Amino acid sequence: MRLYLVTSNEHKYQEAKKILEDLDILFLKAPIGKFEIQADSLRTVAWSAALHAYKILREAVVVDDSGLFIEALKGFPGVYSNYVFRTLGIEGILKLMRNVEDRRACFKTALAAIVPPLDVVLEGEVCGTITSEPLGKGGFGFDPIFVPEGERRTFAQMSVDEKNKYSHRARAFRLFARWLKENFKL
Ligand code: ITT
């Protein structure tokens, strides 16, 4: 089976690939971009992007839409994480969090897949805390300021395998791997 991940983000592809590597599938980055609607839930964004990609490719597709939800900011940047990362950036988030004691935050992923004749939407989540300064050079996005529960290092201070032990994306893709095994005997 050939399965396309629809994303412009190479890091996402590398993280997901490690989770799916035991399955007998050819996991590729799609030759088309991710079509992103503006919506207030990750599930809606992921599902509409998957549908759009499937209509073009007519092959099995999977989309991951993710975001960082900060408790003290009432869930901001959430579904706007991509835009906020490109505009305010990490420094902007740290500024908003200056002198804020409650540092709790969660990363969430909604994964939508169309694997004919079936489709599915799954979720993954990891909670932790926002640091007061960026730490580490690995990963992408908000990785340098997020420490998952049970760790002292940020995601940016970890290898892909270490991040995959905890991450929202890895959790969603492990559920997806199980779903593929159960439904397609891979
Ligand atoms: P695609 O939409 O093309 O897949 P993207 O990077 O824009 O790539 P999202 O819209 O799903 O991905 O993610 C929104 C933002 O949330 C992203 O730009 C990052 O800043 C942040 N983000 C998502 N997952 C992350 C992770 O595992 N580590 C750090 N930041 C993450």
Side-chain angles (χ1 to χ4, degrees):
M1 177 198 296
R2 199 152 61 176
L3 171 67
Y4 285 110
L5 177 69
V6 185
T7 185
S8 57
N9 185 330
E10 177 68 24
H11 295 274
K12 274 190 181 180
Y13 174 66
Q14 294 304 334
E15 291 176 15
K17 198 177 156 114
K18 290 236 173 185
I19 306 284
L20 299 182
E21 70 190 357
D22 297 338
L23 300 181
D24 187 20
I25 54 173
L26 187 57
F27 184 56
L28 302 167
K29 226 171 102 176
I32 58 168
K34 178 176 165 195
F35 173 75
E36 272 201 50
I37 60 159
Q38 195 71 261
D40 58 10
S41 94
L42 297 175
R43 291 178 76 96
T44 308
V45 176
W47 174 250
S48 71
L51 205 54
H52 180 263
Y54 178 71
K55 283 182 184 160
I56 296 171
L57 296 172
R58 296 284 165 191
E59 287 204 59
V61 292
V62 57
V63 173
D64 152 342
D65 199 62
S66 301
L68 176 65
F69 295 72
I70 301 177
E71 195 85 24
L73 305 180
K74 299 189 166 32
F76 183 82
V79 288
Y80 310 109
S81 292
N82 175 318
Y83 180 72
V84 170
F85 181 74
R86 286 185 286 115
T87 52
L88 299 181
I90 283 183
E91 288 305 327
I93 292 290
L94 289 180
K95 226 178 249 176
L96 291 174
M97 293 296 286
R98 202 177 281 161
N99 300 322
V100 175
E101 228 170 85
D102 179 4
R103 314 288 304 179
R104 288 174 300 154
C106 301
F107 266 122
K108 297 182 190 183
T109 290
L111 175 163
I114 300 176
V115 186
L118 303 179
D119 56 67
V120 70
V121 179
L122 300 164
E123 289 179 29
E125 181 180 64
V126 57
C127 294
T129 51
I130 301 295
T131 56
S132 52
E133 56 172 355
L135 293 168
K137 299 226 178 298
F140 68 98
F142 296 110
D143 279 344
I145 56 167
F146 182 83
V147 175
E149 255 162 40
E151 257 289 338
R152 300 171 74 140
R153 295 171 302 163
T154 66
F155 273 161
Q157 293 175 298
M158 298 180 187
S159 66
V160 170
D161 283 333
E162 286 169 332
K163 179 177 172 185
N164 273 350
K165 274 193 219 157
Y166 302 96
S167 90
H168 48 312
R169 176 164 305 104
R171 286 181 179 157
F173 273 89
R174 276 196 284 273
L175 291 178
F176 182 47
R178 194 191 304 165
W179 180 86
L180 284 170
K181 273 188 208 155
E182 282 169 5
N183 289 290
F184 295 91
K185 316 272 175 275
L186 294 168

